[in-house]
Each structure stands twice: as C-alpha cells, then as structure tokens.
Amino acid sequence: MEIVLASASPRRQELLKNAGITFSVRPANLEERRRADETPRAFAERMAREKAQAVRESVPDGCILAADTVVVVDDQVLGKPRDQEDAMRMLRLLSGRTHEVITGVCVRSKSFEDVRSEITCVHFSPLSEAEIRDYIATGEPMDKAGAYAIQGIASRWISRIEGDYFNVVGLPVAMVWRMLRKLGAI
C-alpha cells in the first residue's frame, strides 16, 4: 500500500526515511487555528485529521500519514513564529522551564482512520537575551514549533526530556510504525 505523507516537513521526511519507511509527499496546506474550547492535545489531533482529510481526494487507494506538532507552555500553544519578535517571545517563555511537545498523528485509508498523539516533556535551561538574539540570527527557529530545533543549535539548552525524542523533532516514529502496521500499510 502506498504511504503518502501529508507534510512538507523535511524533518518528518528524514525520520521516516531513517526508519526505512517508503513514502511519497503531498503537503496539506491548511490554516492552523486553535478553537477557544480546545485542549492543546485535541488541537494537534484535529489538525492531523484535517491534514489527512485535505489530501484524501488525491490518494483514493493509499494510506495517508498526517501530523501536527505543537509546543505548550502555560496552556499556550506555540506554533511556528510569525517573525523574529514572536520567536523571541517564545524563547523567553521557554527559558528555564519545562514545556510539553505534543504531536497529533492521523493514519487514514479509504476505510480506516486512527488518530493518536504523543506527549514529551522538555526541560529548557535558562537563556540570556544575548543567547536568544544570537540563536534567532541563525534562522534555525523560524520554521519550528516553539521556535527551536532540539536536533540543532538549541540542543545545547535541553537539559532533559521525558518521553520520545523523535516526537520533539516532529514525528513519534515508534507510534507511527505501530499505526501503519495496524492498518497493514507496512
């Protein structure tokens, strides 16, 4: 069964390739907006489901894999920063604190849908204003939920995680593998 990743994320693509999963890419371009009464986990799961639905018509007989990752601190959902000021705001919020990274995943075929999420706690060291400015100047945080990449420069500030490392990168690979096996796609 063909597996189609409904994401343009190079990190998700790399994680799947490294796990030996063969797939094609058809990004779903949706506006991501959290509803007023929606928990961060429900938001991530809903966005994954909506991304899978958006690609469904172009993949009538295959398996669609969609995901959405959010960073949560004080019940605030931090998506990708709009600009450098927004990235500074996010990094200040994360500095010296623990936050959650939630990835909602949807695996869908013509007659099957499985939606789950993974939560990982990430402990950030305190950051100085200079460290935040210098990090933003690298450009790395600009297309990442929460304005950081655990696998990149920001790794120097991650003192500990509780849960799945790959979830923080953008895709909980072991959970995705189990979901794809349940569907019979692999």
Side-chain angles (χ1 to χ4, degrees):
M1 179 182 296
E2 176 190 20
I3 298 171
V4 176
L5 176 63
S7 172
S9 166
R11 289 160 298 282
R12 289 189 180 122
Q13 292 173 37
E14 182 181 2
L15 290 171
L16 289 172
K17 285 177 190 169
N18 289 346
I21 298 171
T22 304
F23 62 96
S24 60
V25 175
R26 288 205 187 98
N29 298 312
L30 299 176
E31 184 177 341
E32 299 180 18
R33 214 178 270 293
R34 183 176 169 202
R35 296 175 181 153
D37 61 339
E38 198 168 39
T39 67
R41 185 178 206 156
F43 171 60
E45 290 178 358
R46 178 178 59 83
M47 290 311 308
R49 180 180 287 116
E50 288 182 8
K51 288 177 181 180
Q53 289 170 344
V55 175
R56 176 80 251 145
E57 288 181 24
S58 64
V59 187
D61 296 321
C63 166
I64 301 166
L65 168 60
D68 191 66
T69 301
V70 295
V71 172
V72 183
V73 62
D74 295 336
D75 201 42
Q76 288 184 62
V77 172
L78 306 181
K80 295 175 184 174
R82 292 180 303 278
D83 53 31
Q84 290 186 349
E85 276 298 310
D86 198 31
M88 288 192 79
R89 177 188 67 82
M90 290 181 190
L91 291 166
R92 285 180 187 127
L93 274 172
L94 299 176
S95 175
R97 302 183 62 198
T98 299
H99 63 275
E100 292 181 328
V101 176
I102 304 171
T103 301
V105 177
C106 179
V107 169
R108 183 178 183 158
S109 70
K110 191 185 310 187
S111 59
F112 177 89
E113 182 180 84
D114 189 2
V115 180
R116 303 180 195 184
S117 55
E118 184 76 37
I119 299 177
T120 303
C121 290
V122 179
H123 303 265
F124 239 74
S125 298
L127 305 175
S128 70
E129 285 295 307
E131 286 174 311
I132 292 171
R133 278 193 307 275
D134 290 348
Y135 181 50
I136 290 171
T138 70
E140 183 178 270
M142 300 315 296
D143 67 339
K144 316 285 188 303
Y148 76 94
I150 192 172
Q151 74 278 15
I153 296 165
S155 63
R156 63 177 84 163
W157 302 309
I158 309 299
S159 59
R160 187 172 85 236
I161 70 166
E162 297 165 39
D164 185 336
Y165 166 82
F166 298 109
N167 183 50
V168 184
V169 177
L171 195 66
V173 179
M175 184 178 81
V176 166
W177 178 263
R178 290 189 307 271
M179 292 170 78
L180 292 170
R181 285 185 59 115
K182 181 178 177 183
L183 171 60
I186 51 174

